[in-house]
Amino acid sequence: MLKADRQAYILKKVETEGRVVVQELTQELNVTEDTIRKDLQSLSKLGLLKRIHGGAHSLISDMKDFNSRVEFNSQTKADLAKRACRLIENAKVIFIDGGSTNLKVAENIPEHFDGRIITNSPSIALSLCRLSKASVTLLGGDLDKKNQVLFGASTLRAIQQIHLDLTILGVSTLDSKVGITVPSYEESIIKNQLFEQSSMVIAIATKEKLEKISTFFVAKVSALDYLITEGTVDNKIVDTYKKLGVNVVTV
């Protein structure tokens, strides 16, 4: 197989499975480990994947701003959000973390909900104004204009004072081995604290977020109670998360 064909095969596998392993590629392509490592190094230098020990992961672009993400895959996010709303009916104190999919959750919470909803997202807080029976708390902090979310020491301190029945976590990437990761350190601190304060944590993730990694660690995937994702996700990936003790709901 020519080098170009071999690297095209590697990129296709990264795209569909989220990761590649050197040993597996040597068997599939009938070449040496050194050849595969050189291929991965070349593709990494071109910015087409992220090189890690023993293989490579796909790259997640963090360049889109919040408004762009809201428009992307909007109907799928709405479908996932509607399913998530069925899990919050008995919760009295809910935290909705920032994120475009979580905005869809806020837009689909039933009007009869009469609990308290806390958020660090101005956009989500505004969308909750339609709920006449619910109490809405918008935490203070420094505003991340690109992601339209509040963060920082004051946000963290406020979260530390609250016991949450349920958190709907905003997620950038999930990987069965590495865990939940995000692109910024400040974001990782807030999300990690949400796990500490919550009786239940739900993550909603479109399929392109699964088996991907970002920069800063939040928690192991096994810390999640529920993962809601698309029905088109590969069964092997779904089974992997289930084996970690996560209740996986596909829509």
Side-chain angles (χ1 to χ4, degrees):
M1 182 180 288
L2 296 175
K3 178 180 178 180
D5 294 333
R6 191 172 62 244
Q7 293 187 356
Y9 177 91
I10 292 170
L11 288 174
K12 181 64 176 177
K13 184 160 185 167
V14 168
E15 179 184 349
T16 56
E17 299 183 15
R19 68 165 79 198
V20 289
V21 178
V22 170
Q23 289 184 340
E24 292 177 358
L25 288 172
T26 59
Q27 296 174 3
E28 294 168 9
L29 298 173
N30 195 28
V31 293
T32 65
E33 289 189 7
D34 187 55
T35 297
I36 295 299
R37 290 194 182 97
K38 288 179 180 178
D39 284 339
L40 296 180
Q41 190 65 33
S42 297
L43 294 170
S44 177
K45 287 181 178 179
L46 292 171
L48 299 174
L49 48 72
K50 182 173 183 177
R51 187 80 170 88
I52 60 171
H53 179 71
H57 274 276
S58 64
L59 288 170
I60 288 291
S61 174
D62 299 315
M63 298 305 292
K64 291 183 179 179
D65 63 19
F66 180 77
N67 290 327
S68 298
R69 298 200 311 272
V70 168
E71 296 301 322
F72 177 73
N73 215 1
S74 178
Q75 186 56 55
T76 297
K77 291 176 181 178
D79 292 341
L80 297 176
K82 289 174 184 177
R83 181 63 182 86
C85 286
R86 290 162 56 183
L87 297 173
I88 72 175
E89 293 178 355
N90 297 322
K92 289 300 181 183
V93 183
I94 298 171
F95 192 98
I96 303 181
D97 193 14
S100 59
T101 304
N102 285 0
L103 176 61
K104 297 295 184 183
V105 173
E107 292 171 351
N108 284 280
I109 293 174
E111 292 194 10
H112 61 75
F113 182 81
D114 60 358
R116 177 173 293 278
I117 305 174
I118 304 166
T119 184
N120 58 340
S121 165
S123 299
I124 287 174
L126 288 172
S127 74
L128 294 169
C129 290
R130 65 182 179 82
L131 302 178
S132 60
K133 297 181 180 180
S135 300
V136 179
T137 301
L138 174 62
L139 300 183
D142 299 318
L143 178 62
D144 178 340
K145 296 176 184 177
K146 174 185 165 186
N147 295 307
Q148 296 187 23
V149 69
L150 293 154
F151 68 97
S154 59
T155 312
L156 182 63
R157 283 195 299 269
I159 292 171
Q160 289 170 337
Q161 302 304 312
I162 308 168
H163 172 73
L164 301 163
D165 295 326
L166 184 151
T167 286
I168 301 175
L169 192 74
V171 292
S172 302
T173 53
L174 299 93
D175 181 85
S176 54
K177 293 183 178 179
V178 176
I180 302 165
T181 53
V182 292
S184 82
Y185 174 73
E186 292 84 1
E187 189 179 5
S188 71
I189 295 298
I190 295 293
K191 294 182 190 299
N192 182 270
Q193 191 65 45
L194 288 170
F195 275 99
E196 295 294 325
Q197 306 302 129
S198 303
S199 297
M200 179 185 294
V201 180
I202 298 170
I204 309 168
T206 47
K207 61 185 178 182
E208 71 272 4
K209 295 182 178 182
L210 301 179
E211 295 306 284
K212 308 291 194 304
I213 59 171
S214 191
T215 309
F216 295 96
F217 176 77
V218 174
K220 288 292 187 182
V221 170
S222 58
L224 290 172
D225 294 285
Y226 283 90
L227 171 63
I228 301 174
T229 189
E230 298 175 62
T232 54
V233 173
D234 190 293
N235 287 333
K236 291 181 180 178
I237 295 176
V238 172
D239 289 342
T240 299
Y241 289 114
K242 286 181 177 179
K243 288 176 181 177
L244 293 171
V246 182
N247 294 297
V248 182
V249 179
T250 54
V251 179

